[in-house]
Amino acid sequence: MSIFKLKINFEEGGRESIELPIAAGEDVLDIVLDNGIELQHNCGGVCGCSTCHIYVNKGMDNIQEISDKEEDFIDRAVRPKITSRLACQCIVLDGDIEVTIPDQSEFLGH
């Protein structure tokens, strides 16, 4: 099994970027949650909402292509960009990726 690097940046001020291992076939949501990083996931990671929205900075070609369903949910996300993806759908295929997690403080209490 191939192991790649997942670099995570945070929009939230004062948080350092970190690098974690991610294996082919794993998704970004599972890796961040397994490592105690807060990322909303109201639907439980089944592409049923837009709360695990992240930005893919590098390595878009190294993850599974975006589906029509995922695109529909990204349209409902807070501040979507051209590089927006849902962390539950960012399944690594082959290579390193770098992502930014939007500030999660606006979700607290929801």
Side-chain angles (χ1 to χ4, degrees), residues 4-23 26-40 52-59 63 87-88 90 92 95-104:
F4 304 105
K5 276 190 306 198
L6 166 62
K7 182 175 182 184
I8 303 168
N9 304 303
F10 300 92
E11 265 187 3
E12 207 176 311
R15 294 202 57 184
E16 295 287 317
S17 296
I18 61 170
E19 279 189 6
L20 297 169
I22 188 167
E26 289 185 311
D27 65 68
V28 171
L29 180 63
D30 286 342
I31 298 301
V32 298
L33 295 178
D34 288 351
N35 286 277
I37 298 166
E38 202 171 287
L39 180 57
Q40 293 297 308
C52 72
H53 168 240
I54 59 172
Y55 305 114
V56 177
N57 309 332
K58 293 182 184 154
I63 55 177
C88 68
C90 283
V92 170
D96 299 340
I97 64 170
E98 180 180 329
V99 303
T100 297
I101 295 180
D103 188 342
Q104 296 293 293

Side-chain angles (χ1 to χ4, degrees), residues 67-86:
S67 67
D68 291 342
K69 182 179 178 186
E70 182 183 356
E71 279 192 78
D72 289 344
F73 281 112
I74 285 172
D75 288 342
R76 303 175 209 170
V78 178
R79 292 185 308 281
K81 300 178 184 173
I82 193 78
T83 59
S84 290
R85 290 294 301 264
L86 299 180

